[in-house]
Structure formats: C-alpha cells, structure tokens
Amino acid sequence: MKIICVARNYPLHAKEMGSEPPSQPLFFLKPSTAWAASGEIPYPLFTQQLEYEGELVFRIAKSGKSISPSDAMGWVDALTVGIDFTARDLQAKFKKEGLPWDMAKGFDNSAWWGAWLPIPPGWEALPFSLQKNGKTVQKGTGKEMIFPLPRLLSEASQYFSLEPGDVLFTGTPAGVGPISRGDILKAFWGEQVVGEVRII
Ligand code: MG
C-alpha cells in the first residue's frame, strides 16, 4: 500500500503557505509505515512544530496506469477524511534549502484516516471538517480543489501505477495549525464523525 498525497490543492491553503497555486498537481508519497492505524499519534521527537492537515482521502479500488480523467472515478471505491501530519519546521527548512520533504511528511504515524464510506453522488459539494479539542479548525468541500479528483487520479497514474488499497490524500483547505500532546482531533464528513486521533 502506498499513500499518494497532493500539495497545495486548495487556493487559500496555497496562500497561507505563501505559495502560488501550482500549474500542475504536485504529488509526494508517504510509505506504508506512515499509516497511523491505532489513532494514537506519538509526538515525534525530531520536530517542535507538528501540524495537522485535514483532507479528503480516497481509496484506490484496482490496478491502473495512465488512466484518463473521464474513466478515473472507476478507480476509487470509498472516501473518508484523514490527516496529513506534517513536521512544519523541518518542511520549512528543507523547502528553503531546496531539499526533498520526505522526512517532514513521511515519518511513522504521519498519515491517519477515518472509517471508509461509500462515495455519494455529488460528494464534491458536501462539507468535510476537522475539530481540534471540540473546535472546528478546518472546513472544505471537494469542489474547492484546484485540480479535481479525476485529474489527480489521471495525473498521479502517469507517474505511479495505482494498486488496490492505495490511498490518495487530496490536499488540505486553509486553517492548518500546530498541535500538542494531549490534543484530540476529530474528523467529520458532513455531520458524521469518521474517527478521532489523540496526540500522545
Ligand atoms: Mg497535505
């Protein structure tokens, strides 16, 4: 299982990161060991600035390579809301030095997602959100994405063959922020809680 992620796919998040919206999807990968299956996230020792990025996450249903945008929705069979945990201080340092981000993004427990749900018609217009300690900190819909899901799937599959069980994080809306030990993050699809994590 691999975890494919998209950087800067919401205009207001690109802005809050001081970046221009990209001209093509910018993908990065997390290894299978990044999956936080337990929902307990140990605060990593190598960062002073662990941040949450709440995102819509899709599950890849079948193998594919160079799929077209018009067929792409046939490659996903479930969605949920997840968190792309980021060591923001390391990422900022690596970006400044023009170095790869992997250590800031792909560490153990850096990818969590909630319970898988069927993809309803019109899902792009339905809100997802993230609460930190009971307060909503991020809210978005799929239709705000700079590159819509079929384009992401098509483009990702030009570079990385898709395999069943792979996971696609589709980018975070504005409102990313820091977390501390003891914080509880709760992910919502509409009004429905899909899961929660605790930082330990
Ligand atoms: Mg992200």
Side-chain angles (χ1 to χ4, degrees), residues 5-7 13 28 53 55 84 86 105 171-172:
C5 305
V6 188
H13 172 65
F28 60 94
E53 296 187 357
E55 311 197 2
D84 164 16
T86 303
K105 283 285 198 181
T172 192

Side-chain angles (χ1 to χ4, degrees), residues 5-11 14 20-27 56 58 69 72-73 123-124 141-156 168-172:
C5 305
V6 188
R8 287 183 247 148
N9 200 27
Y10 285 74
E20 292 299 314
S23 57
Q24 70 170 88
L26 179 62
F27 297 106
L56 274 181
F58 290 84
M73 288 307 288
W123 63 270
E124 300 96 323
T141 65
K143 70 176 181 208
E144 296 162 50
M145 291 181 195
I146 296 171
F147 303 107
L149 181 61
R151 169 89 190 270
L152 295 178
L153 291 163
S154 170
E155 195 119 352
L168 175 68
F169 277 67
T170 55
T172 192

Side-chain angles (χ1 to χ4, degrees), residues 9-85:
N9 200 27
Y10 285 74
L12 293 177
H13 172 65
K15 198 172 169 194
E16 77 180 347
M17 297 305 290
S19 306
E20 292 299 314
S23 57
Q24 70 170 88
L26 179 62
F27 297 106
F28 60 94
L29 299 177
K30 294 182 186 240
S32 57
T33 45
W35 181 32
S38 79
E40 291 209 325
I41 313 287
Y43 198 106
L45 298 175
F46 47 76
T47 177
Q48 314 299 317
Q49 194 184 0
L50 182 65
E51 293 200 351
Y52 58 79
E53 296 187 357
E55 311 197 2
L56 274 181
V57 181
F58 290 84
R59 186 174 66 194
I60 305 299
K62 58 183 182 179
S63 299
K65 170 87 184 150
S66 301
I67 60 180
S68 71
S70 56
D71 295 339
M73 288 307 288
W75 264 263
V76 288
D77 68 353
L79 67 68
T80 190
V81 179
I83 303 173
D84 164 16
F85 286 99

